[in-house]
Every structure is written in C-alpha cells, then in structure tokens.
C-alpha cells in the first residue's frame, strides 16, 4: 500500500539534478498500490510517478523497467521509465532502489461494461504480441512453483473443506500440460485498478495507460488472459458475466487468435489464475510479513471464484 | 506541406501487421508540415502519427528517430517513434521511408504570452540538457556551411539593398567564434506550430508535445535559443517583445545557466538564426524545386527580423 518510505522535498530536488526533466514543483504521496512507495512528481517540464521499491531486490528490477520501456516504444500506453543523465533507469533514493516513470492520464473504471472489456482484451493481446520481441526473461514470480510452495505454507491454517479444495486443485494443476501453450512476457496482474481510461475525441473511453508491471514475468499467455477475465468479467458473487467475458475474449482473439491447445487449456487456466490470487491473499491473511502495513484483501473472493470455475466455464472463441 | 504521397487504407492495414499496435481503425491526412507526408492513424490500441519521408535519404533518418526516442525516454514530451516487431523504427511504405510515432495531445498556440514563452524556454533547456547524452551526431543541415552556400545561390535574385545586407551578414558571421559556445543536439525549428499545449489539472497550459525534429542536428545550443526567441518573442513587425523574450530567456537560464561566452555571442546568434530563415525562404521563393507543392513563406519577414537584430538586442540574463 501507499507510502512506506517518506521522501523529503529537498532530497528529491537534489536527486532530480541527475535527470533532464527540470526542477521540482510538487511532490505528493499516492495512497494506492500494495507493494511499493509511490509519489506523483511535478517538475517544471512534466509529470511523473516516482516509485521507491520496497522488498524487491535491485537485481530483479531491470526486467520490469526494461519491459515497460520495450512495450512503450512498441507503441502501447505503458509508462516508460525515465533515463537519468547517465542513461540509467534505476537510481537510489532514501536508500531504496528508485525509478521515475511517465505519468499517464486517465482514471480507473471499477464498473466496466462489455465495451471496456473488449478494449482490455485487445490491449492485453497487444501487450502479449509486443512482449514476444522482449529480450529479457524472468519467470513469473507467482507461477507454478510459487503456487505449490505457498499452498504448503498456508495449508494448515485453512478449514478442512478449503484444504480439500486446495489439495485437489494443486493435484489437478500438476496434470496440466503447459508446454504446448504460447508463452511470453505477461503482466500477470491486469486488474481494474491497473488500467487508466481517458475520454477520447469521439467521446468513447479508451485506454490511456496500463500500469504496475511489478508482478510481470515469463509465463503462458493464457494464464494472463485468465487473470484478466477473472477480475474484469466476474459478477460480485464470482460468476463469469457472459457478455463481458465474451467481449474480452473476442477482442483478444481478433488481435491474437487462440490456438486449439489454448482452447483445451482454458478451464484449467481460469482455475490456475483463481488459485494464484486465493493463495496470495490467504498468505497475506494468515502469514502477514512483520512491520508491513499491507491492505489485506479477503481471500474468500478468489476461493469462491476457483470453486465456480471448476464447475462451469464457457469455451474460448475459435 | 501536407500529403504528397497518398496511402490507401488496405496498404496501411497490411503494413501495420509488422507492428503490435492492433488493427487499423482510421487514417486521415494532415494538412500541415512543409516537408513530409503526415497522417493521423487510429488503431484498436492507440493513436499515432505516420510520416512518409519525402526527399530525405534513408541514411539521415536514424539520427532524427533515435534522437526523438532518446528525448522521450529521458522524460520529455517528445513523440517516441514506434518500433515494429523487428525492433526497428524505420520501415518502407508506398516506396518511401516511413515511421510511426506516438500522437501527443494538445494544440498549437499562435498568440503566446510571457507565460507560454517561459514554458518554452524551460522546455528548450530540458531538450538541450537531455540531448547532451545522445550518442549520435549529425551536423545541423542548415548550419554555417549551408548558409554560405545558399547565400551564393540566392544572391543574384535579390535587389541591391538586400545583396548588401546579405554580403555584410555572411562576412560578419564568419568572424564569430563558435568554438567557445556549448554545442549539442538542437531542435533548430522550435516554432509556435511545433509545440502542442494542453490544459492541465491546475487550468494552466502546459506543454504536451514538442514535435517535428526533422531539422535537428548538432550545433551551438545558443543558435537554437535564438531561433526560438525570433519566432516566439517577435511582434508582427519583427521587433523583440521585451516581456516575452525576458520570460523565455530567464526560464531557460534557470534550467541551464548561460555562460559568459554565450552572453557575448547572443546578438550574433540572433542574427544567425534570422539569416537562416531568411535564406531558406528566399531559396524556396526564388529557386523552387520542381514538382513540389511547398507552401512558400514570405522571405521579407526574416529579412526584417535580421535588420532589427543588428541594431538592438537586450542582453541575456546572467
């Protein structure tokens, strides 16, 4: 969440001398996000977002920053990181790894309709296609290995019926053949709060920004589609809304057609994506890391989504 | 000017398959610009400007495109070129070198006040500072050598008083010691129509885009300041407006302080910048290149500006 590490204005003003974006005009903490300390920074030349990375290693950050740069320069509305005068994206501020990115315009839409979902589907396909030419590789930090490990860690905290659900799902996922599915750089967290919408010339909302790539990694593209559908297309009780999910999937399919293997794997991927968020929320709930003021989200939402995806999933478009 | 080379929609739709920006939605010619064919391109994923380069060689284009990419990734509102799936900025369309860049928002302000001029001055300094770390070098195509050559070419078309002015100015400029002035990548054409303004949260206009880098090159930074001041700070009769030029220069100076050598050279640079546009307009007027539908601008405007800068120039801020 929000701001863990305070940044005094004089420290930032001095740090900005390493950049060519002018002098500091205003600094404001952002009360959103669950991982890092984020700030809006206004200078004499523009508007930026400053992130101080909390609990991430300096070694893993170039993957994210260069991915954002790659997607941005391939024409997608992803905040490009700002290079300093030494041509580097990653600096150090208040003893934390720190980076500036462009501030994109727009606001989140928390009640999307099928029109929004279609644009999100097309954009996700665009991210996947542009990501295919990204040269770096770092595995999805919340991929299959993490899921098995986290399942073991939370297992004993769960009531009996949830343990049975978890054991069965981990066993089921182990049977899924992922090797035949197209893979690449995925966002892995394309929830409603990570898409910024602006109103265009034609009065139709369009996507002005896709943000927060700090869960990105190499994984099957269909897993990313499943993460996105589970958030954008679920009703409050966790069921898939047919109009929204059909719109999202058709628009994705129009940009990057699904393969036959992906159609087969679709129900399993929706379950894997639900499992991933059930597990991370259960871990945050039962195993909070000391000293962190993380906003704990209710794990039950994704437990229910997992249960519902086991019983009934409409097919992918072909 | 405008569109020299028509682009049929089917040809563009096919060409866009090399990019990851979705499918073509709309294509519209732009009736501005004096050199290339420009189009607004809307796809399922975003909005872009397509340029077909007319009469520029493929060899000189990477300097411009990489400069725009460099400035953009250093946080300045410059349209970044879009890389295709082969990670290249420059393609071929309708047998012309062609590139897509991001479409930035905002509109030109043709009646700027001191507030606008201050923001332009700060932005120009930011461009210069960010340009210092740009690795490529290509001389200003309208630099001292071009000026001497073009003066010879137009000389005999001019009336006697203009010949005397031109001869004297060329002789004077040859005495100016440029070696002591800071140099780097300059825009060299930062006229009012190449800055896009948007209205911000605070209801104050800010610069949303600096466009058209296709006259950029390596030259003295102060020459670029002079080009900018001659356009942004001149009254309709060519005199310098004291409030606007003071605002522009003070804001530039706050970001990149002028050196003592620059203060000495300032009157000469204003004259060099006026000479450059007088010469190019005189050449377009007297020596039109065959088959081109270039909008010919009146050379007299910059002849008068040159005359006025010889007699009276306020000093640079120190």
């Amino acid at each position: 969440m929000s701001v863990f590490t305070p940044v005094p204005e004089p420290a930032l003003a001095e740090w900005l001398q390493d950049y060519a974006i002018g002098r500091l005009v205003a600094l404001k903490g952002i009360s959103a996000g669950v991982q890092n300390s984020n700030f809006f920074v206004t200078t004499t030349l523009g508007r930026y977002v400053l992130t101080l990375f909390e609990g991430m290693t300096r070694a893993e950050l170039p993957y994210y920053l260069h991915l954002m740069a790659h997607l941005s320069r391939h024409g997608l509305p992803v905040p490009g990181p700002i290079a300093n005068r030494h041509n580097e994206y990653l600096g150090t501020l208040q003893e934390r790894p720190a980076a500036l990115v462009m501030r994109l315009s727009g606001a989140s839409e928390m009640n999307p309709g099928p029109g929004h979902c279609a644009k999100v589907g097309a954009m996700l396909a665009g991210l996947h296609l542009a990501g295919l030419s990204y040269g770096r590789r770092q595995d999805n930090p919340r991929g299959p290995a993490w899921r098995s490990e986290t399942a073991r860690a939370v297992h004993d905290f769960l009531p009996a019926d949830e343990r049975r659900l978890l054991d069965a799902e981990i066993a089921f996922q182990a049977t899924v053949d992922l090797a035949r599915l197209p893979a690449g750089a995925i966002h892995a967290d394309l929830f409603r709060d990570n898409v910024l919408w602006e109103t265009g010339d034609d009065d139709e909302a369009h996507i002005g920004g896709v943000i927060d790539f700090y869960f990105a990694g190499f994984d099957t593209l269909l897993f990313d589609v499943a993460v996105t559908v589970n958030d954008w297309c679920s009703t409050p009780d966790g069921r898939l809304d047919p109009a929204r999910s059909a719109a999202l999937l058709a628009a994705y399919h129009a940009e990057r057609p699904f393969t036959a293997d992906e159609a087969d794997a679709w129900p399993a991927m929706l379950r894997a994506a639900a499992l991933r968020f059930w597990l991370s929320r259960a871990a945050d709930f039962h195993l909070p890391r000391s000293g962190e003021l993380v906003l704990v989200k209710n794990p039950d939402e994704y437990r229910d989504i997992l249960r519902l995806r086991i019983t009934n999933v409409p097919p992918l478009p072909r």
Side-chain angles (χ1 to χ4, degrees), chain A:
Chain A
M1 62 130 257
S2 71
V3 177
F4 299 87
T5 303
V7 174
E9 290 205 6
L12 179 59
E14 194 191 329
W15 191 70
L16 287 178
Q17 291 177 9
D18 253 3
Y19 291 79
I21 57 173
R23 286 162 302 110
L24 181 62
V25 172
L27 168 67
K28 194 178 157 219
I30 303 176
S31 59
V34 295
Q35 284 192 110
N36 301 313
S37 301
N38 293 304
F39 304 84
F40 290 133
V41 172
T42 304
T43 72
T44 43
L45 300 185
R47 299 168 202 210
Y48 309 90
V49 173
L50 168 68
T51 298
L52 272 58
F53 297 99
E54 312 281 353
M56 300 177 86
T57 69
R58 190 168 282 272
E60 66 192 321
L61 291 170
Y63 175 84
Y64 305 119
L65 295 171
H66 286 277
L67 175 60
M68 292 159 76
H70 177 88
L71 296 172
S72 172
R73 77 187 201 90
H74 279 76
L76 298 172
V78 170
I82 309 301
N84 64 22
R85 296 192 194 189
H86 316 293
N87 266 327
E88 286 164 1
Y89 293 139
L90 195 59
T92 301
L93 184 59
Q94 301 297 96
E95 300 174 0
R96 299 284 190 288
L100 284 164
V101 302
M102 296 303 293
R103 179 175 172 185
L104 301 178
S105 53
S108 297
E109 170 55 66
M110 301 312 280
N111 290 299
H116 296 98
C117 290
K119 297 202 171 189
V120 168
M123 184 60 71
L124 184 62
L127 294 171
H128 289 169
L129 291 170
L132 293 177
S133 56
Y134 183 50
R136 292 172 192 246
R137 178 169 165 168
Q138 200 161 286
D139 283 338
N140 173 9
R142 300 287 182 273
W146 174 89
R147 291 199 290 268
S148 301
E149 204 175 287
T150 307
R152 277 192 298 277
V154 301
H155 186 272
D156 293 351
F157 293 94
L158 303 180
D161 63 325
E162 293 191 8
R163 285 189 201 177
R164 280 192 298 275
L165 175 66
L166 181 58
D167 291 343
E169 190 60 26
I170 292 286
F172 169 73
Q173 290 294 335
T175 69
V176 178
D177 180 12
L178 299 170
R180 298 166 69 176
L181 303 178
I186 68 168
H187 184 287
D189 193 34
L190 195 62
F191 278 48
R192 299 174 195 191
D193 51 354
N194 286 333
V195 175
L196 305 178
W197 299 87
E198 34 179 41
T199 303
D201 297 340
D202 46 7
D203 269 336
E204 207 188 303
H206 73 273
I207 296 176
V210 176
I211 62 173
D212 200 351
F213 281 76
Y214 302 114
F215 282 112
F218 187 91
D219 205 340
T220 56
L221 305 180
L222 195 64
F223 177 78
D224 211 10
V225 180
V227 168
T228 308
V229 164
N230 277 340
D231 181 66
W232 287 84
C233 309
S234 289
T235 59
D237 66 0
R239 287 173 206 282
L240 282 180
D241 177 79
R244 279 185 278 151
S245 63
L248 194 154
L249 294 170
Y252 184 100
H253 187 66
E255 305 285 344
R256 187 188 75 81
F258 293 113
T259 67
D261 288 326
E262 288 181 306
D264 292 342
W266 179 232
M269 282 298 105
L270 279 173
R271 291 165 62 169
L275 175 63
R276 175 256 177 269
F277 287 96
W278 180 33
L279 282 170
S280 64
R281 292 183 181 186
D284 288 343
F285 187 84
H286 296 294
L287 306 162
R289 286 158 291 179
S290 65
E292 287 199 8
L293 290 165
V294 171
L295 174 70
V296 176
K297 294 181 181 167
N298 186 351
D300 296 352
E301 179 189 357
Y302 269 87
R303 176 202 63 200
D304 294 346
I305 289 178
L306 173 58
R307 280 191 173 132
L308 288 160
R309 297 298 176 273
I310 292 172
T311 53
N312 180 24
V313 168
L316 282 188
R318 293 301 301 277

